[in-house]
Amino acid sequence: MTTNGGISPQDAKYALETRDMHVYYGSFRAVKHINLNVERQKITALIGPSGCGKSTVLRSFNRMNELVPSARVEGKVFFHGKNLYDSNVDPVEVRRRIGMVFQKPNPFPKSIYDNIAFGPRINGWQGTKADMDNLVEQSLRASVLWDEVKDKLKESGLSLSGGQQQRLCIARALAIEPEVILMDEPCSALDPISTLKIEELMFELRRQYTIVIVTHNMQQASRASDNTAFFLMDNDRAGTLVEYGPTEQLFTNPQDKRTEDYISGRFG
Amino acid sequence: MSSVSQTGNTSSGMPTDEAMHRNIAQRRQRGRIWQGVLFASTTIGMLVLVILLATIINESFGLIAVQSTVDPATIADRPLEELSKEELIVILEDNLKRRVYQRLEREQPLAERDQAALLEIVRVEVVQEEVVGSWPLNETLFNRAAIEAEVAEEFPRAEIQFRSWINPDFLTNPMSSVPALAGVRTALLGTLWMIGITILFAFPIGVGAAIYLEEYATDTWYNRIIQTNIANLAGVPSIIYGMLGLAIFVRAFEPLTSGTLFGLTDPTTANGRTILSAGLTMGLLILPVIIIAAQESIRAVPNSLRQASYGLGATKWQTIWNHVLPGAMPGILTGTILSVSRAIGETAPLIVVGASTFIVTDPDGPFSKFTALPIQIYNWTARPQDQFRDIAAAAIIVLLIVLLTLNAIAVLLRDYIRKRRSI
């Protein structure tokens, strides 16, 4: 996929790099001084107590924060060496390359097929009907939903169970062939079995995609991620990145006292 | 009632068991009183509605006494119905004044008319049948003997018939100064034309403004002023809109609304008092209501849908077109139904804009002179003769049917959209 003045993929160790990023809502600084490198084709978990700014950081990766009129991002977020917040970068292209799965499953009130076909269609799909059928199947297979829905592609996406809906949303995000998938607490509304399925799916997807996941569930972070970033609210109520490193190290041998307190369940 | 628990109450403020039971009984009693009040309100509302419908129906059907000035037996040797077309024409030639005959011939040559039409002309012009009395449905059903006695005394030659004032002829006849011959065709067509223009004008503009205000406009002081103004405009009396329409559409935009701009020079409509002016005025009237309803339903579209769409790389317009509008459409249609229903029944603005009260030619386009059902009803109820009251009631039924039909169409459309979105 080529673009003019946009972002073009290249091989690098990091998919996303933030440099001294601050996010403001109006005059309120929600997160400050974020320096975080997201490794390619790894799962990076963002953990921390409520209100510490993990979701805000996640949403600044695909410029979803801009949907809040008062939100403002300072600093830089590099994606393949290109600052996502440069004036010549179109947020539409950013979101096309960095997909997102939300906390609550939010399929469109359309058929399962159309839920997946929507993304490619609005992004200027040029293939035939057969190509689209193929893409829908591939996306549903990639999100391990195909076997459950292959006979009812024309039924509403809303007719599925919560866990299936969330996998449909993942399939929908995969259909536009992003490089990074952002997941904002994708399992918080799901039962343990559906949660497990999503986690297995994440491991599958890691081969091809870079995944950043926000989670409240520390077990989930420890079993389903390669790297973990721990956020905490500072005294001025702005979220900061306390510690970032390989998940195993962060959970077994945290360098910061606050991280240790949090993961051992002493607060939060 | 026996208490559920006998444990002593130690906390200071909470009532003892006995006091609690009394208190529960009191609270339940209060609930029952309110339930009764609510039921009474519903009943009163229903009762008023039933009385309204009963009155209208009562006026629309009933006995009439018909009397002819000339005895049919003196014109023909057989009952008039049995006469052939040619025989009827001969009767007309013999009995009509030259001038009347020529006028009828000019409107449409008699030879080209069918037997039923000629029979009607003979009845009206030659025999001069006349409704000399009419009675509502309740008297017809319960007091027939008295009516017959009254007619026998006052109009010995009159004949008593049952008449449904609402009948196919009533729908297809144009206006007439004789109540028995008057119909609502011109008014019905006028209303339909006007409502069509109103919807075409107000719906796109209203929905467009709502989308802009909800999705694009930022929260600035002038946008807040616009918002407040729209809310207030929804409450402005309709006659004010009529004056606005008179000033703008009838006067200022006369070349446009009279059609002269498009080369139409109909001498009878050499001014802006046309269907177009009326439709646009009604459009202005319901515009604020549509905008507010559309804004409400656009706001009700869950934000998660917008985010999902943006998250897939959709532009703002793609998100609005594919998700916000389809999601809001049922609500928008509901608001439109309500406001159009209001527009159909509005009379005051039409009077100000200049609806004709007596017009026999059908409206044939947006630049025609027109009348509308509410104008017609208003006009008929203001006449002194009893029979005009009867046809006014019949016209009200027609108006209600038009209203219900339009509403039904819109409801079906709304349900269809809703169903298609939840396949």
Side-chain angles (χ1 to χ4, degrees):
Chain A
M1 220 143 299
T2 57
T3 51
N4 35 1
I7 314 143
S8 54
Q10 52 184 234
D11 286 327
K13 190 179 179 202
Y14 300 116
L16 288 160
E17 300 165 64
T18 70
R19 291 286 170 271
D20 200 31
M21 183 179 76
H22 304 254
V23 183
Y24 296 81
Y25 294 115
S27 57
F28 171 66
R29 181 157 67 171
V31 296
K32 62 180 184 184
H33 299 300
I34 305 294
N35 288 293
L36 180 69
N37 296 336
V38 176
E39 279 189 87
R40 278 171 66 83
Q41 301 187 354
K42 291 274 166 62
I43 299 173
T44 303
L46 312 183
I47 62 168
S50 297
C52 70
K54 348 178 256 302
S55 287
T56 299
V57 169
L58 188 81
R59 283 161 172 268
S60 61
F61 288 156
N62 67 344
R63 296 183 65 168
M64 284 297 269
N65 278 333
E66 283 165 32
L67 300 182
V68 182
S70 62
R72 184 163 50 86
V73 175
E74 276 179 13
K76 290 180 167 145
V77 180
F78 288 105
F79 178 61
H80 298 304
K82 177 88 185 168
N83 182 9
L84 292 180
Y85 287 87
D86 267 358
S87 56
N88 64 351
V89 174
D90 190 331
V92 167
E93 187 193 350
V94 174
R95 292 174 200 141
R96 149 79 185 73
R97 294 184 179 283
I98 303 179
M100 188 152 194
V101 177
F102 297 84
Q103 181 171 2
K104 238 181 78 192
N106 55 355
F108 299 126
K110 297 168 182 271
S111 69
I112 293 171
Y113 185 98
D114 286 338
N115 257 283
I116 295 175
F118 176 74
R121 275 182 194 146
I122 55 158
N123 282 293
W125 173 256
Q126 289 173 332
T128 61
K129 170 87 171 70
D131 291 339
M132 182 62 90
D133 292 348
N134 194 30
L135 175 71
V136 169
E137 179 174 345
Q138 290 313 312
S139 306
L140 285 170
R141 278 191 193 283
S143 66
V144 207
L145 191 59
W146 175 251
D147 289 333
E148 291 159 65
V149 301
K150 64 183 172 195
D151 298 323
K152 47 178 185 178
L153 292 177
K154 294 283 162 228
E155 280 177 37
S156 171
L158 296 172
S159 67
L160 300 174
S161 73
Q164 289 174 324
Q165 286 189 11
Q166 195 62 296
R167 277 180 284 149
L168 178 63
C169 291
I170 294 175
R172 181 175 72 184
L174 297 179
I176 55 168
E177 296 166 8
E179 290 160 51
V180 181
I181 299 170
L182 307 175
M183 297 186 173
D184 191 355
E185 298 183 42
C187 304
S188 66
L190 305 183
D191 63 273
I193 294 173
S194 304
T195 301
L196 196 66
K197 280 191 178 159
I198 302 266
E199 285 175 16
E200 285 168 358
L201 174 58
M202 279 162 49
F203 276 115
E204 283 297 315
L205 296 176
R206 185 174 58 162
R207 293 186 203 160
Q208 233 183 316
Y209 304 92
T210 307
I211 296 175
V212 185
I213 177 172
V214 165
T215 177
H216 259 121
N217 180 335
M218 273 182 293
Q219 281 78 31
Q220 184 172 51
S222 66
R223 64 178 178 247
S225 71
D226 301 298
N227 294 312
T228 300
F230 172 59
F231 291 81
L232 205 54
M233 200 163 28
D234 220 344
N235 292 332
D236 60 353
R237 297 176 46 80
T240 50
L241 176 58
V242 174
E243 190 170 348
Y244 176 51
T247 300
E248 208 181 313
Q249 184 200 316
L250 190 123
F251 275 94
T252 55
N253 186 20
Q255 305 296 303
D256 196 295
K257 178 74 171 62
R258 292 170 293 177
T259 315
E260 193 184 341
D261 287 350
Y262 184 72
I263 58 175
S264 59
R266 229 161 277 165
F267 74 94
Chain B
M1 192 203 286
S2 68
S3 68
V4 181
S5 150
Q6 292 294 342
T7 51
N9 216 320
T10 48
S11 74
S12 54
M14 291 303 285
T16 59
D17 283 357
E18 196 196 337
M20 178 185 74
H21 293 144
R22 246 194 343 264
N23 176 271
I24 290 178
Q26 270 172 10
R27 283 185 284 158
R28 290 227 175 269
Q29 181 61 30
R30 217 170 295 151
R32 273 194 291 276
I33 291 173
W34 276 110
Q35 192 183 350
V37 171
L38 300 180
F39 179 73
S41 333
T42 316
T43 315
I44 291 172
M46 291 306 296
L47 208 65
V48 172
L49 205 63
V50 168
I51 292 174
L52 172 79
L53 281 176
T55 317
I56 295 170
I57 290 172
N58 191 31
E59 292 280 349
S60 307
F61 304 92
L63 289 182
I64 52 166
V66 184
Q67 179 175 265
S68 45
T69 331
V70 179
D71 191 352
T74 60
I75 320 172
D77 46 1
R78 285 176 290 154
L80 290 175
E81 295 81 22
E82 291 173 17
L83 296 178
S84 72
K85 194 170 144 182
E86 287 70 27
E87 286 169 307
L88 286 168
I89 294 180
V90 170
I91 291 177
L92 287 173
E93 274 175 349
D94 292 348
N95 291 285
L96 282 186
K97 289 199 186 87
R98 207 69 232 145
R99 192 170 43 80
V100 180
Y101 184 80
Q102 275 165 356
R103 178 171 58 81
L104 288 169
E105 189 73 32
R106 248 199 329 278
E107 281 173 10
Q108 190 184 5
L110 292 179
E112 289 175 20
R113 305 191 186 204
D114 58 12
Q115 199 255 359
L118 290 170
L119 185 63
E120 189 68 30
I121 296 174
V122 170
R123 284 216 168 114
V124 175
E125 301 283 352
V126 182
V127 182
Q128 290 174 17
E129 279 183 359
E130 197 181 4
V131 180
V132 287
S134 67
W135 292 267
L137 189 59
N138 58 348
E139 291 183 29
T140 302
L141 292 179
F142 305 115
N143 213 2
R144 188 161 183 145
I147 295 173
E148 279 168 358
E150 185 188 335
V151 170
E153 188 182 328
E154 287 183 31
F155 313 102
R157 282 196 302 116
E159 197 181 318
I160 293 181
Q161 301 171 353
F162 181 81
R163 182 173 176 110
S164 151
W165 289 97
I166 179 160
N167 53 41
D169 283 344
F170 182 68
L171 291 179
T172 53
N173 279 359
M175 204 83 66
S176 167
S177 51
V178 182
L181 295 179
V184 288
R185 189 174 76 192
T186 41
L188 185 59
L189 288 172
T191 287
L192 293 177
W193 267 103
M194 186 192 75
I195 284 304
I197 291 170
T198 301
I199 294 174
L200 283 181
F201 171 68
F203 185 75
I205 295 183
V207 175
I211 294 174
Y212 178 79
L213 287 172
E214 279 306 306
E215 298 287 324
Y216 290 96
T218 47
D219 190 26
T220 51
W221 63 269
Y222 49 87
N223 279 329
R224 273 202 292 267
I225 289 180
I226 292 176
Q227 188 68 60
T228 315
N229 269 319
I230 290 172
N232 285 331
L233 280 177
V236 169
S238 56
I239 192 138
I240 309 284
Y241 281 98
M243 289 160 79
L244 183 74
L246 179 69
I248 297 181
F249 300 124
V250 178
R251 296 272 152 76
F253 291 171
E254 191 194 317
L256 182 78
T257 50
S258 65
T260 47
L261 205 65
F262 308 100
L264 262 107
T265 44
D266 186 346
T268 57
T269 57
N271 53 49
R273 300 199 304 257
T274 55
I275 288 185
L276 185 60
S277 295
L280 294 177
T281 306
M282 284 298 185
L284 281 189
L285 174 74
I286 65 171
L287 196 53
V289 185
I290 293 187
I291 294 178
I292 291 171
Q295 275 186 290
E296 296 280 339
S297 38
I298 287 172
R299 224 173 291 152
V301 173
N303 235 341
S304 64
L305 275 187
R306 291 188 182 85
Q307 295 201 344
S309 173
Y310 285 126
L312 289 168
T315 60
K316 186 161 206 155
W317 176 245
Q318 283 175 319
T319 303
I320 292 171
W321 182 253
N322 288 295
H323 299 295
V324 176
L325 268 187
M329 204 39 88
I332 295 177
L333 284 180
T334 309
T336 310
I337 296 167
L338 290 176
S339 51
V340 166
S341 306
R342 184 185 165 194
I344 291 179
E346 277 293 351
T347 322
L350 294 182
I351 295 177
V352 182
V353 168
S356 318
T357 45
F358 191 91
I359 183 174
V360 285
T361 49
D362 289 347
D364 56 359
F367 305 116
S368 315
K369 283 206 297 192
F370 74 104
T371 185
L373 281 170
I375 293 283
Q376 217 41 244
I377 293 165
Y378 169 73
N379 184 28
W380 281 336
T381 46
R383 303 267 192 119
Q385 297 99 315
D386 273 355
Q387 287 94 305
F388 278 111
R389 273 220 314 276
D390 298 332
I391 58 174
I396 290 173
I397 292 183
V398 174
L399 182 64
L400 288 180
I401 291 172
V402 170
L403 208 69
L404 289 178
T405 312
L406 287 180
N407 284 4
I409 293 172
V411 168
L412 289 177
L413 189 67
R414 186 185 65 191
D415 288 353
Y416 171 73
I417 294 176
R418 221 174 246 167
K419 200 174 285 167
R420 220 187 44 180
R421 273 176 62 75
S422 58
I423 29 159

